[in-house]
Amino acid sequence: MKARELAVEGAYTFVPEVYPDERGLFVSPFRQEAFTAVVGHPLFPVRQTNHSLSARGVVRGVHYTVTPPGTAKYVYCARGRSLDIIVDVRVGSPTYGHWDAVELDPGEFRAVYFPVGVGHAFVALEDDTVMSYMLSGEYVPSHELAVSALDPALGLPVPDDPEPLLSERDRVAPDLATARAAGTLPDYAACREAESRLWPPAQGPAPRHGEG
């Protein structure tokens, strides 16, 4: 499995080996040993899995979770094609306000790891795009917040053809600066602390690379 660190601190993309034959293919989008070797700790205990189906032009996000409790994610595209976008909304992060984008599809089965506290958005580039998520926490509506994926200051690579289709919640989401002024963005140190608490004490994460 190949891996690459993204422009947002703590986020990574993984590309598994795909085994095609005359019947179709076989692939493992997640492998614990490979993940741990790169990130420095195992994947979180999975509390919930999500599955979304989107038409071409649908934009979901930028969504993030109140921290604490915070939520980490591992995401891949099971059908169709998407542009997956990670945005650092953690105040105090060394990459605050930065973003990165990765194209996901069921050819490479590239996956993205989102650490606790960062923002997640994606654009469906084809009809019937299916996104699959593993999450460290269960969905609690009052904990789920958003900033605008169309915030010009962020400059996210959202195509304008077709016209983006957003939910009402995402259409009225504040821009990043407004959310920060309102005090609704997560704190970087709190996010790191919340992430360290995802594992039972006997299975706590090893130090990240470069940390003693």
Side-chain angles (χ1 to χ4, degrees), residues 90-116:
R90 301 168 298 180
V91 176
S93 166
T95 55
Y96 173 78
H98 294 200
W99 59 266
D100 210 339
V102 180
E103 190 167 311
L104 306 183
D105 61 49
E108 285 192 320
F109 281 94
R110 187 185 307 272
V112 180
Y113 172 65
F114 293 77
V116 170

Side-chain angles (χ1 to χ4, degrees), residues 5-12 35 39 41 86 88 90 93-95 113-116 118 188 192 195 208:
E5 189 168 11
L6 297 176
V8 170
E9 190 273 335
Y12 295 84
F35 180 91
V39 182
H41 58 71
I86 181 168
D88 199 343
R90 301 168 298 180
S93 166
T95 55
Y113 172 65
F114 293 77
V116 170
V118 300
Y188 175 68
R192 292 293 303 274
E195 190 159 6
R208 291 176 185 258

Side-chain angles (χ1 to χ4, degrees), residues 64-67 89-92 96 117-118 183-188 190-191:
Y64 63 99
T65 305
V66 171
T67 306
V89 299
R90 301 168 298 180
V91 176
Y96 173 78
V118 300
T184 58
L185 298 181
D187 174 75
Y188 175 68
C191 292

Side-chain angles (χ1 to χ4, degrees), residues 89-145:
V89 299
R90 301 168 298 180
V91 176
S93 166
T95 55
Y96 173 78
H98 294 200
W99 59 266
D100 210 339
V102 180
E103 190 167 311
L104 306 183
D105 61 49
E108 285 192 320
F109 281 94
R110 187 185 307 272
V112 180
Y113 172 65
F114 293 77
V116 170
V118 300
H120 178 214
F122 75 83
V123 183
L125 302 177
E126 295 182 2
D127 284 334
D128 298 325
T129 289
V130 172
M131 298 291 284
S132 181
Y133 312 68
M134 294 189 289
L135 301 106
S136 66
E138 296 182 20
Y139 176 75
V140 179
S142 61
H143 291 172
E144 299 303 316
L145 301 176

Side-chain angles (χ1 to χ4, degrees):
M1 180 175 279
K2 299 177 182 178
R4 177 173 63 89
E5 189 168 11
L6 297 176
V8 170
E9 190 273 335
Y12 295 84
T13 182
F14 296 86
V15 182
E17 190 166 356
V18 179
Y19 301 93
D21 62 23
E22 67 277 5
R23 301 166 299 168
L25 62 81
F26 179 85
V27 64
S28 297
F30 171 75
R31 289 181 53 237
Q32 183 79 286
E33 184 177 351
F35 180 91
T36 302
V38 172
V39 182
H41 58 71
L43 187 71
F44 47 79
V46 176
R47 298 288 301 277
Q48 182 169 317
T49 61
N50 289 350
H51 172 110
S52 68
L53 175 67
S54 300
R56 178 173 176 257
V58 165
V59 178
R60 298 182 188 261
V62 180
H63 299 155
Y64 63 99
T65 305
V66 171
T67 306
T71 299
K73 300 179 182 180
Y74 191 88
V75 180
Y76 67 94
C77 180
R79 187 172 71 187
R81 191 164 56 97
S82 74
L83 185 65
D84 212 48
I85 305 171
I86 181 168
V87 182
D88 199 343
V89 299
R90 301 168 298 180
V91 176
S93 166
T95 55
Y96 173 78
H98 294 200
W99 59 266
D100 210 339
V102 180
E103 190 167 311
L104 306 183
D105 61 49
E108 285 192 320
F109 281 94
R110 187 185 307 272
V112 180
Y113 172 65
F114 293 77
V116 170
V118 300
H120 178 214
F122 75 83
V123 183
L125 302 177
E126 295 182 2
D127 284 334
D128 298 325
T129 289
V130 172
M131 298 291 284
S132 181
Y133 312 68
M134 294 189 289
L135 301 106
S136 66
E138 296 182 20
Y139 176 75
V140 179
S142 61
H143 291 172
E144 299 303 316
L145 301 176
V147 296
S148 175
L150 305 181
D151 178 357
L154 282 174
L156 302 184
V158 177
D160 56 12
D161 183 22
E163 183 177 352
L165 178 60
L166 288 77
S167 69
E168 177 62 20
R169 169 198 175 194
D170 291 341
R171 279 198 300 270
V172 301
D175 60 31
L176 186 66
T178 300
R180 181 170 185 172
T184 58
L185 298 181
D187 174 75
Y188 175 68
C191 292
R192 292 293 303 274
E193 174 66 18
E195 190 159 6
S196 74
R197 294 179 179 275
L198 291 177
W199 299 269
Q203 302 176 26
R208 291 176 185 258
H209 292 176
E211 295 182 355

